[in-house]
Amino acid sequence: MSQRDAYEQKLRAKLDEWQAEIERLRARARSAEADARLKQEQEEEADRLEQKREEMRERLNRLRDSSDDAWDDIKDGAERAWSSVSDAFNKARSRFK
């Protein structure tokens, strides 16, 4: 192998090495973007869950403050709301494990 061929081979190897590094950097950038999107989704989901939790707290206050006559109706609504909030928490928990 001539000196020229050896030098060209060395340069090609270096170019290939740089290409691999560029691809690793791009992969890290895509991963960071995905992490940022995931974090945003988690924040939005946490906000939705916080809102549902607040609604449930308000229902609990109404239940506590209700008359005996209205208690059964409010209790039924609270149980449906509790089920909805519980489902939302379970879905969020499984999505973001």
Side-chain angles (χ1 to χ4, degrees), residues 4-73:
R4 179 180 171 171
D5 290 339
Y7 187 73
E8 283 180 26
Q9 190 174 15
K10 181 180 174 181
L11 288 179
R12 279 194 192 112
K14 192 62 174 173
L15 288 173
D16 290 345
E17 185 181 312
W18 288 344
Q19 183 62 36
E21 183 63 26
I22 290 167
E23 289 171 10
R24 280 192 295 276
L25 290 172
R26 285 188 175 144
R28 271 192 236 142
R30 285 190 301 272
S31 178
E33 289 171 7
D35 287 345
R37 281 192 304 272
L38 180 60
K39 182 179 179 192
Q40 180 64 31
E41 287 177 17
Q42 289 173 335
E43 288 291 330
E44 290 169 359
E45 186 68 20
D47 289 344
R48 283 190 293 274
L49 290 173
E50 182 66 27
Q51 183 179 2
K52 286 185 177 284
R53 189 200 63 79
E54 183 60 25
E55 289 170 8
M56 192 63 211
R57 188 187 66 73
E58 289 174 13
R59 285 181 185 265
L60 179 61
N61 286 341
R62 280 189 296 217
L63 185 63
R64 185 191 64 214
D65 297 338
S66 68
S67 67
D68 289 340
D69 294 336
W71 190 83
D72 283 333
D73 291 335

